[in-house]
């Protein structure tokens, strides 16, 4: 039985993780969760599990939750997320599942690595912003960092038993998002509801918008570069509209191995939770009799400038990834609040990156400082 410490329990990945824990009560014991704006969901989860720690948004919420769960330890704010990540620090079998959205997930990930706790990572912004810090820490801490993101989980499945020196390139598939058939001119007028209507996946709002701009694919390429320690030029995106192939690896003998499954995040979550064991499926099997073809389309970088920008920021290095992510978080939040148009997301992010003076190898403190400054200046300008 493994103890699970779950950051972001009230979100899309968090809820699916909880479903899995409920399906395998002999294998996992949920003892700590965090939530942010969804107090009701926190209470609901708390009523189903014997939680020892609950992390909430602020002090006011903490007193509400304390009254409902007087025996649990209640923590709040960013430090509460860290408290959760290192709770029961001597529990060497326990796993931290990081299903937070945004770079708020970085510090708790680092804290967990420092106590040698294994991590299942959905929170890709952690690697986008702090990949260089995490890479260094993993050299001295024997921690397993397992990817939940479907593309990275696919690659991880594919490379089992292979010599990673024989990898020629990683081929990351992309659905192209809800606007893949629109011209750039038509993108000027798309609405929030249209942007939130992803063709293949049901996910949290932020990643759904990131999929529409393809910033998500840029983030995933950076994520893959860190996770698999591979040169970014050897990671290629390709449009695969149905999201049946979750990614591929091409080896030096030109053999290409793909991982396929029904698009359902429960598969990557469960694979990471049980690794190296496979368990009976909780998802619908693929039925090839119902699939007439699997299409591929080249990615047009002009069509998706944020994808291109993400790769450039990685290559430029230093704090450019911090600014890229911070500006994107701010712009997506403004778009979700209907303060800006869809294409404004691109221009806001590009202008923040263009105006940034790179800090080489930023420390965690510098990252948080640059993140805050970037977000503040964007919100000040647009949040009227
Ligand atoms: P959601 O928005 O559905 O959930 C995010 C979680 O983080 C919620 O529990 C939310 O709490 C919490 N949260 C939000 N803001 C804060 C904050 N400032 N401080 C503390 N907690 C906060 O996101 P997803 O589940 O969709 O995504 C989670 C991560 O997984 C993201 O990094 C995403 O890119 C990645 N991912 C998601 C996939 C998916 O299918 N959803 C697929 C692949 C990767 P509350 O809801 O209570 O406000
Ligand atoms: Mg993904």
């Amino acid at each position: 039985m493994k103890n699970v410490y779950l950051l972001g329990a009230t979100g899309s990945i968090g809820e699916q993780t909880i479903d899995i824990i409920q399906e395998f009560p002999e294998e996992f014991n949920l003892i700590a969760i965090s939530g942010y704006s969804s107090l009701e969901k926190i209470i609901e989860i708390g009523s189903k599990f014997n939680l020892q720690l609950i992390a909430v948004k602020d002090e006011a919420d903490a007193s509400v939750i304390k009254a409902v769960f007087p025996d649990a330890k209640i923590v709040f704010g960013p430090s509460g997320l860290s408290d959760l990540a290192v709770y029961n620090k001597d529990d060497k079998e326990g796993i931290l599942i990081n299903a937070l959205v945004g770079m708020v997930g970085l510090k708790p990930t680092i804290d967990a690595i420092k106590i040698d706790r294994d991590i299942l990572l959905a929170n890709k912004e952690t690697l986008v912003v702090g990949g260089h810090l995490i890479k260094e820490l993993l050299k001295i801490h024997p921690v397993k960092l397992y990817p939940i993101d479907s593309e990275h989980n696919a690659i991880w499945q594919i490379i089992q038993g292979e010599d990673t020196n024989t990898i020629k390139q990683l081929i990351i598939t992309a659905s192209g998002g809800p606007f893949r058939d629109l011209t750039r001119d038509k993108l000027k007028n798309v609405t929030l509801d249209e942007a939130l209507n992803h063709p293949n996946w049901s996910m949290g709002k932020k990643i759904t918008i990131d999929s529409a701009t393809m910033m998500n694919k840029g983030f995933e390429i950076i994520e893959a570069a860190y996770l698999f320690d591979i040169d970014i030029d050897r990671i290629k995106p390709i449009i695969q509209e149905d999201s049946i192939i979750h990614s591929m690896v091409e080896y030096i003998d030109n053999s290409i191995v793909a991982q396929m499954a029904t698009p359902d995040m429960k598969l990557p979550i469960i694979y990471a939770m049980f690794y190296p064991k496979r368990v009976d499926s909780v998802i619908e099997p693929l039925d090839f009799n119902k699939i007439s073809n699997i299409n591929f389309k080249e990615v047009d970088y002009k069509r998706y400038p944020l994808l291109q920008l993400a790769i450039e920021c990685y290559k430029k290095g230093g704090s450019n990834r911090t600014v890229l992510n911070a500006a994107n978080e701010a712009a997506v939040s403004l778009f979700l609040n209907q303060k800006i148009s869809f294409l404004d997301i691109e221009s806001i992010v590009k202008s923040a990156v263009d105006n940034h003076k790179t800090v080489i190898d930023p420390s965690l403190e510098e990252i948080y400082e640059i993140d805050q400054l970037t977000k503040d200046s964007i919100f000040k300008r647009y949040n009227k």
Side-chain angles (χ1 to χ4, degrees):
M1 175 88 91
K2 271 185 187 164
N3 288 330
V4 176
Y5 305 84
L6 178 58
L7 288 167
T10 49
S12 162
I13 295 287
E15 289 192 315
Q16 294 179 78
T17 303
I18 289 174
D19 286 349
I20 294 168
I21 294 172
Q22 282 182 306
E23 278 174 64
F24 295 95
E26 311 284 298
E27 309 270 357
F28 301 103
N29 184 23
L30 182 65
I31 59 173
I33 65 159
S34 84
Y36 194 65
S37 57
S38 323
L39 269 190
E40 279 175 18
K41 280 192 199 167
I42 295 173
I43 294 171
E44 195 191 319
I45 301 166
S47 66
K48 290 185 192 152
F49 296 89
N50 202 0
L51 298 175
Q52 295 175 19
L53 180 142
I54 303 174
V56 296
K57 185 170 70 184
D58 53 27
E59 200 168 359
D61 286 357
S63 41
V64 174
I65 295 296
K66 186 72 194 168
V68 187
F69 303 108
D71 297 334
K73 179 172 179 184
I74 314 295
V75 293
F76 61 88
S79 66
L81 302 175
S82 291
D83 294 339
L84 185 158
V86 302
Y87 184 62
N88 283 348
K89 68 177 174 28
D90 296 325
D91 174 12
K92 295 298 170 209
E93 298 299 310
I95 50 173
L96 175 72
I97 302 187
N98 186 342
L100 293 169
V101 64
M103 70 81 78
V104 69
L106 174 60
K107 171 109 185 356
T109 306
I110 287 180
D111 293 331
I113 294 175
K114 286 184 176 164
I115 62 149
D116 297 335
R117 174 160 286 165
D118 291 340
I119 301 166
L120 276 54
L121 190 69
N123 177 242
K124 64 189 79 186
E125 294 90 348
T126 280
L127 284 176
V128 170
V129 173
H132 60 296
L133 300 176
I134 290 184
K135 200 170 159 181
E136 286 309 306
L137 279 171
L138 291 180
K139 287 182 188 161
I140 41 175
H141 292 274
V143 166
K144 294 177 185 120
L145 185 71
Y146 293 157
I148 286 182
D149 209 347
S150 61
E151 295 77 3
H152 308 76
N153 193 279
I155 292 166
W156 178 37
Q157 293 189 39
I158 294 167
I159 63 175
Q160 293 303 307
E162 298 283 353
D163 174 357
T164 50
N165 292 315
T166 62
I167 294 174
K168 189 155 102 184
Q169 61 173 344
L170 306 179
I171 305 166
I172 300 214
T173 49
S175 70
F179 303 139
R180 60 196 176 200
D181 297 323
L182 299 189
T183 59
R184 282 200 56 86
D185 201 43
K186 290 241 165 71
L187 288 179
K188 281 183 198 149
N189 301 318
V190 293
T191 65
L192 175 59
D193 284 347
E194 287 165 341
L196 286 174
N197 188 20
H198 195 282
N200 305 342
W201 299 95
S202 161
M203 311 182 283
K205 286 184 179 170
K206 195 243 173 194
I207 184 176
T208 305
I209 303 303
D210 287 347
S211 301
T213 60
M214 278 263 224
M215 177 56 104
N216 183 51
K217 215 42 61 179
F219 283 171
E220 289 183 353
I221 288 175
I222 297 173
E223 189 185 1
Y226 282 117
L227 280 172
F228 303 109
D229 200 14
I230 184 168
D231 189 283
I232 201 156
D233 287 331
R234 292 201 285 135
I235 310 173
K236 294 276 150 51
I238 184 114
I239 308 257
Q240 203 285 291
E241 290 194 346
D242 314 298
S243 304
I244 287 174
I245 298 183
H246 298 301
S247 276
M248 298 179 264
V249 178
E250 182 171 1
Y251 292 96
I252 49 174
D253 59 0
N254 290 346
S255 173
I256 297 179
V257 184
Q259 189 266 338
M260 292 184 240
T262 308
D264 186 331
M265 283 308 295
K266 278 200 177 154
L267 178 64
I269 300 172
I270 218 165
Y271 183 81
M273 287 176 80
F274 279 93
Y275 182 82
K277 192 165 75 171
R278 284 196 188 265
V279 292
D280 276 348
S281 177
V282 292
I283 69 159
E284 281 297 307
L286 268 187
D287 181 353
F288 280 104
N289 294 316
K290 292 188 185 146
I291 301 168
S292 52
N293 52 38
I294 296 179
N295 287 312
F296 297 102
K297 231 167 45 192
E298 200 180 340
V299 172
D300 175 359
Y301 288 90
K302 290 208 178 75
R303 172 80 182 61
Y304 297 107
L306 288 184
L307 168 60
Q308 181 71 48
L309 187 67
I311 296 169
E312 282 166 17
C313 283
Y314 178 87
K315 288 184 175 173
K316 271 198 259 167
S319 54
N320 286 290
R321 288 174 285 110
T322 308
V323 172
L324 174 85
N325 178 74
N328 185 61
E329 283 188 28
V332 170
S333 145
L334 288 167
F335 177 66
L336 287 172
N337 289 313
Q338 298 188 280
K339 305 259 181 190
I340 59 168
S341 73
F342 181 73
L343 284 181
D344 287 339
I345 301 175
E346 285 175 9
S347 49
I348 289 173
V349 176
K350 182 157 187 332
S351 137
V353 169
D354 286 348
N355 291 316
H356 179 61
K357 209 165 156 281
T358 309
V359 176
I360 298 163
D361 266 341
S363 65
L364 189 60
E365 293 69 31
E366 285 170 321
I367 286 176
Y368 273 85
E369 200 178 308
I370 295 166
D371 174 81
Q372 201 57 54
L373 284 173
T374 307
K375 286 175 178 165
D376 283 352
S377 80
I378 293 171
F379 284 136
K380 200 168 150 202
R381 179 147 175 224
Y382 293 91
N383 225 346
K384 293 191 179 109

